Amino acid sequence: MTDVALAQELRLIGRPVARHDARDKVAAATAYAADWAMPGMLHGAVLRSPYPSARIRRLETSRAARLPGVVAVLTAKDVPRNTLWTDVPGQTTTVGPLRARVHVLVEGRVRYQGEPVALVAAESEELARAALEAVEVEYEPLPGVFDPAAALEPQAPRVHEEGNLLAHWRVLTGDVTAALARADIVVEGEYRTQFVDAAYLEPESGVAWIDSDGVITIRVSTQVIEHFRDVAEVLQVPQNRVRVIGTYLGGGFGGKEDVTVEVYLGLLAWRTGRPVKMVWTRQESLLARAKRHPFRMRYRTGATRSGELVAQQIELLADAGAYAYLSALVLLYATVTAAGPYRVPAVEVEARVAYTNNPPTSAMRGFGAMQVVFGYESQMDRVARAVGLDPVRVRQLNSLRRGDTLPVGQVIETHVALPELAARAWAALGEASRPRAPHVSVGRGLACNFQPYGRIVWLHDWSSAWVGFEMDGSVVVRTGVPDVGGGQASSLCQIAAEVLGVDLERVSIHIADSALTPLAGTTTATRQLYMSGNAVLKAAETLRQQILGVAASMLGDDAAALEMADGAVHAPDGRALALPEVLARCARVGVPRSHLDVFHAPAGEPVDLERGSGKVFPDYTFGAHAVEVEVDTETGAVRVLKHVAAHDVGRAINPQSVEGQIQGGAVMGLGYGLMEEVVLEEGVNLTTSFAAYLIPTALDVPDVEPLVVESGEGLGPFGARGIGEPPIGPPAAALANAIEDATGVRVTMLPLTPERVARALGLVSPPPLPGGGAGRGQGPTPTTT
């Protein structure tokens, strides 16, 4: 909660104001990364391996280098340091499994299809593509492994010399075996999720040049401007010789958290001394970008006859693909949240992630805490059916409460609105729709979730912001926040305007420049409103006190009695001083008209998960989604009729942005649940266009009704909670629950395509499951005892 002394009601916080970047985006005037151009600019391109597992026997670039218009051709031997470390940028604690490496360019051994082999810079994009075709590469295909379970077999081909097990996390609390033995019912199920792509409209892109001071400057579409350090380390130059400028993004969703084009642009600009532009094609973006982890989840859930949970025994296995990236961290999020937002006295979680020769997997919206929603919410629905409770009641009965302890030992310190959210979302569906035809069935499903916002506490997260007045009373905010389209920058303007008593139109903001804006960390982990919102709030609050102190001396009044509003300082007796007048006095008496502040999140040390020893995340956002679907029992086709999404956001700084985040996340979750899937055949990607990789359109989804609940108990500014990631979690599980409600069959493998639903209905024969096992095409058949 904020401690800002605002005597009057909030003027701007909580108002659905238009975002400052909205007009340019609607008018197509926003300059995205690929819209930038410079005189004398070259065009860069990447040569990628067509094989998922191979040895490079010969790599010859001389023919490509001799082509007219080709300025540079680089391979691994030309990179000063060919190792790129994946770590959480700017943090103080390095945790072994969370630090991973990848080669900038292949060093003899290819580990996935699309792995970068060489770089080219040429006078035009066409020449650069022609040069790629002129590079001669002789590959020797090698045996690969494409399933995480198979990868952990002793005789499996090794993706890396150290072995295929990347990370293992374990949580254990209570006596799970005894609790399951005493349970009245035990529900068992295996659930599988798929590879998916971030599928943003703006592919990876940027422009790099060397400025007049010799600084390598990269204007790029990224969620992390602190990748300037990665570029510097690869080039072996001081970190202060690289500058990254982040543009407004045409979508990120975690896909631009890892390094994409930054290092390639830095290398080519450094080598040629000329500006270089690189824009990935849609095909290579879908081919080579890191994906969301597919998970294989086994659940055994014990409950009493009254529906109270007594035990959860959970196994998680994830596919990391060929390189680690953030896989160990993603698995950690899944491990901590695997039992769901429920009280369970005995919990055991065994979680592993393995290397394969599939495309790498890494960060994506929901970050491991969303795959497990499909598992634990399918289980909750089945428990409810087994004991005869309705979907809302079973969740209300078992919901976490303030003061409860998670299986990892973290105490829930803020309000948990889950019982209210579940009831409101379910009720908002209204009257049930009638089937349109005899072969169509209608059903409803509910799913709840909790998602951390902010980083793990042992990473000692921080964010900084500078807030200042110009002499005319206008306000400037500077902070290194990348705006990924969620209205991050606009919300910061709203906070500054509220505290400093100026109209929103009088606030300008400069963001995402590693050289000129105070660093604010990554726009990931649903952290920017929480972290940078608090940083701006702290800076603005201190600046306010400075200004009021001077105004008090001018008015002969107590500073605590003064108010800032409408561009002036107001005394209780009605007298007022225009801000320019007060600011001029500040300048004369030497009182600063700006302030730089840093917000430090609650910190801690790494915990022993197995012993359940303490806090992992600062706090969580809770949600509940309810859907109504119709299922064609002759074809298996599913149509979503209604979707209600309820979340406790603490405080809605801008309700319009909050509703947009909820609706966008819900639609993304529906795509995950119904159709999105990266199809791989022995590591070869068969879905490298939007003709093959399907994402939902306006014709596939209903209007999502957002229900915004404000408990005021978040850790962000004015009591806000993060809402960027949480809405993507529940839709897939809610759909599966609704399909069972409509048809009586449960589908346990995503996406819930017509083919899988048809197999579950017995309309077509089941194929074998990837990695073994068989069911009715929808995954192993769940059981209840």
Side-chain angles (χ1 to χ4, degrees):
M1 297 289 287
T2 178
D3 57 356
V4 175
L6 298 171
Q8 60 187 33
E9 291 188 359
L10 299 175
R11 299 175 304 108
L12 291 170
I13 300 300
R15 283 185 52 198
V17 298
R19 286 161 40 177
H20 75 278
D21 56 327
R23 183 183 299 276
D24 282 352
K25 287 182 175 176
V26 171
T30 300
Y32 293 99
D35 296 325
W36 198 256
M38 299 184 75
M41 186 175 73
L42 300 171
H43 295 262
V46 184
L47 179 67
R48 301 180 182 279
S49 166
Y51 296 99
S53 179
R55 182 178 295 114
I56 294 180
R57 300 177 64 89
R58 188 175 73 89
L59 177 57
E60 178 56 56
T61 62
S62 57
R63 190 163 68 94
R66 289 196 300 270
L67 290 177
V70 174
V71 180
V73 182
L74 306 183
T75 63
K77 63 181 173 51
D78 302 307
V79 182
R81 200 192 75 178
N82 198 43
T83 299
L84 181 64
W85 287 99
T86 296
D87 204 351
V88 182
Q91 307 307 311
T92 57
T93 303
T94 297
V95 181
L98 305 187
R99 185 165 168 78
R101 65 182 177 182
V102 63
H103 291 144
V104 177
L105 296 173
V106 168
E107 291 183 353
R109 171 77 161 88
V110 170
R111 293 182 171 84
Y112 71 96
Q113 185 202 25
E115 188 164 0
V117 174
L119 298 177
V120 166
E123 297 290 349
S124 70
E125 186 176 349
E126 291 75 17
L127 288 171
R129 299 287 169 196
L132 294 184
E133 295 182 5
V135 175
E136 300 169 23
V137 190
E138 184 180 336
Y139 296 96
E140 176 190 354
L142 298 174
V145 60
F146 308 103
D147 177 81
L152 296 178
E153 295 295 327
Q155 302 306 317
R158 289 197 167 199
V159 181
H160 296 274
E161 289 304 315
E162 60 268 29
N164 291 340
L165 179 62
L166 166 60
H168 172 220
W169 301 106
R170 175 175 166 79
V171 169
L172 179 62
T173 182
D175 188 337
V176 174
T177 302
L180 286 172
R182 289 195 303 270
D184 295 322
I185 64 160
V186 176
V187 175
E188 299 187 43
E190 178 174 326
Y191 306 91
R192 300 190 183 198
T193 66
Q194 74 280 38
F195 280 100
V196 296
D197 196 280
Y200 30 69
L201 294 181
E202 180 200 30
E204 296 75 2
S205 51
V207 177
W209 66 96
I210 300 176
D211 73 10
S212 56
D213 295 319
V215 174
I216 299 166
T217 304
I218 306 170
R219 186 178 186 276
V220 64
S221 177
T222 180
Q223 296 175 236
V224 185
I225 63 171
E226 292 176 49
H227 284 320
F228 72 89
R229 299 190 184 96
D230 299 301
V231 178
E233 290 177 14
V234 167
L235 294 178
Q236 293 288 277
V237 301
Q239 293 181 357
N240 65 3
R241 307 305 292 173
V242 179
R243 172 187 179 190
V244 170
I245 302 171
T247 61
Y248 283 97
L249 269 64
F253 313 122
K256 294 168 183 172
E257 178 172 352
D258 296 301
V259 169
T260 60
V261 299
E262 297 94 323
V263 169
Y264 304 142
L265 285 168
L267 276 165
L268 292 172
W270 165 79
R271 182 62 173 261
T272 65
R274 292 173 59 178
V276 181
K277 182 176 189 174
M278 179 178 287
V279 182
W280 288 1
T281 65
R282 177 62 62 194
Q283 183 183 27
E284 69 179 325
S285 178
L286 287 168
L287 173 71
R289 172 175 52 226
K291 314 302 180 193
R292 185 191 296 285
H293 297 74
F295 269 57
R296 192 171 302 174
M297 303 172 283
R298 292 193 177 95
Y299 275 76
R300 296 184 73 206
T301 304
T304 66
R305 287 190 182 84
S306 61
E308 187 176 352
L309 300 181
V310 298
Q312 289 267 36
Q313 190 173 46
I314 303 163
E315 294 178 34
L316 307 177
L317 177 60
D319 188 341
Y323 288 96
Y325 284 95
L326 295 167
S327 289
L329 195 60
V330 170
L331 187 71
L332 176 61
Y333 274 62
T335 304
V336 171
T337 59
Y342 303 113
R343 292 170 159 172
V344 192
V347 175
E348 179 181 5
V349 185
E350 289 278 359
R352 297 173 297 165
V353 58
Y355 290 116
T356 66
N357 292 107
N358 289 323
T361 49
S362 189
M364 192 171 166
R365 192 179 195 176
F367 207 85
M370 76 159 294
Q371 288 95 329
V372 292
V373 181
F374 185 57
Y376 64 69
E377 283 302 282
S378 295
Q379 290 288 101
M380 288 300 291
D381 219 55
R382 295 180 54 217
V383 167
R385 292 177 192 279
V387 300
L389 288 178
D390 70 54
V392 176
R393 180 59 190 147
V394 76
R395 289 167 174 86
Q396 291 176 326
L397 178 66
N398 291 287
S399 171
L400 288 168
R401 303 286 197 277
R402 188 202 306 269
D404 284 343
T405 302
L406 296 177
V408 294
Q410 177 169 3
V411 176
I412 299 295
E413 298 170 334
T414 57
H415 176 64
V416 179
L418 206 65
E420 176 190 353
L421 296 172
R424 289 185 60 178
W426 194 251
L429 287 177
E431 292 187 11
S433 302
R434 292 186 175 181
R436 293 179 296 117
H439 64 283
V440 170
S441 295
V442 173
R444 291 181 167 188
L446 178 71
C448 300
N449 75 324
F450 72 141
Q451 174 87 34
Y453 62 92
R455 288 244 180 83
I456 293 173
V457 297
W458 70 65
L459 294 175
H460 297 189
D461 199 10
W462 57 272
S463 177
S464 55
W466 181 99
V467 181
F469 274 111
E470 294 299 335
M471 295 303 291
D472 62 356
S474 60
V475 173
V476 176
V477 178
R478 293 186 173 92
T479 180
V481 174
D483 191 314
V484 301
Q488 286 84 7
S490 191
S491 293
L492 301 182
C493 293
Q494 213 167 333
I495 292 167
E498 177 72 55
V499 176
L500 298 174
V502 300
D503 293 338
L504 189 57
E505 295 74 19
R506 299 280 287 168
V507 181
S508 294
I509 188 166
H510 302 280
I511 61 171
D513 187 326
S514 68
L516 301 181
T517 57
L519 294 180
T522 63
T523 300
T524 64
T526 311
R527 65 177 288 282
Q528 281 298 3
L529 178 62
Y530 164 47
M531 296 297 301
S532 299
N534 274 325
V536 169
L537 179 61
K538 285 185 69 180
E541 180 189 9
T542 300
L543 177 58
R544 173 187 168 96
Q545 298 307 324
Q546 291 168 187
I547 301 301
L548 289 179
V550 173
S553 67
M554 297 170 70
L555 291 166
D557 216 325
D558 185 352
L562 303 179
E563 273 303 312
M564 296 180 75
D566 303 324
V569 178
H570 300 267
D573 60 7
R575 292 176 297 157
L577 293 170
L579 272 175
E581 189 177 351
V582 182
L583 294 167
R585 177 65 67 88
C586 290
R588 280 196 293 274
V589 300
V591 172
R593 290 163 283 112
S594 63
H595 184 70
L596 171 68
D597 218 322
V598 181
F599 173 73
H600 293 272
E605 297 305 317
V607 301
D608 184 334
L609 298 182
E610 184 168 351
R611 296 180 180 178
S613 57
K615 178 177 282 190
V616 179
F617 296 104
D619 194 22
Y620 300 84
T621 297
F622 296 83
H625 290 208
V627 302
E628 183 181 82
V629 303
E630 66 172 28
V631 182
D632 188 323
T633 59
E634 295 181 346
T635 66
V638 177
R639 188 163 74 99
V640 185
L641 303 176
K642 300 176 184 176
H643 189 141
V644 182
H647 289 270
D648 174 12
V649 303
R651 168 90 73 167
I653 301 297
N654 183 340
Q656 195 175 71
S657 290
V658 168
E659 291 180 358
Q661 287 291 304
I662 292 175
Q663 291 169 322
V667 170
M668 204 168 180
L670 289 174
Y672 180 68
L674 290 173
M675 63 188 73
E676 293 192 40
E677 183 171 19
V678 175
V679 178
L680 300 171
E681 189 172 286
E682 298 288 291
V684 174
N685 190 335
L686 305 180
T687 44
T688 58
S689 75
F690 280 152
Y693 186 84
L694 304 181
I695 58 176
T697 70
L699 299 178
D700 300 308
V701 296
D703 288 337
V704 175
E705 180 183 347
L707 293 181
V708 178
V709 174
E710 296 180 278
S711 67
E713 294 226 355
L715 303 183
F718 301 94
R721 284 184 153 122
I723 192 61
E725 294 178 284
I728 197 174
L735 289 168
N737 294 340
I739 290 170
E740 181 171 13
D741 185 51
T743 66
V745 300
R746 177 159 292 277
V747 186
T748 57
M749 179 183 290
L750 296 180
L752 307 167
T753 59
E755 292 83 356
R756 289 199 173 109
V757 175
R759 288 185 191 119
L761 290 168
L763 302 176
V764 292
S765 300
L769 289 170
R776 303 181 68 186
Q778 78 276 24
T781 304
T783 61
T784 303
T785 56

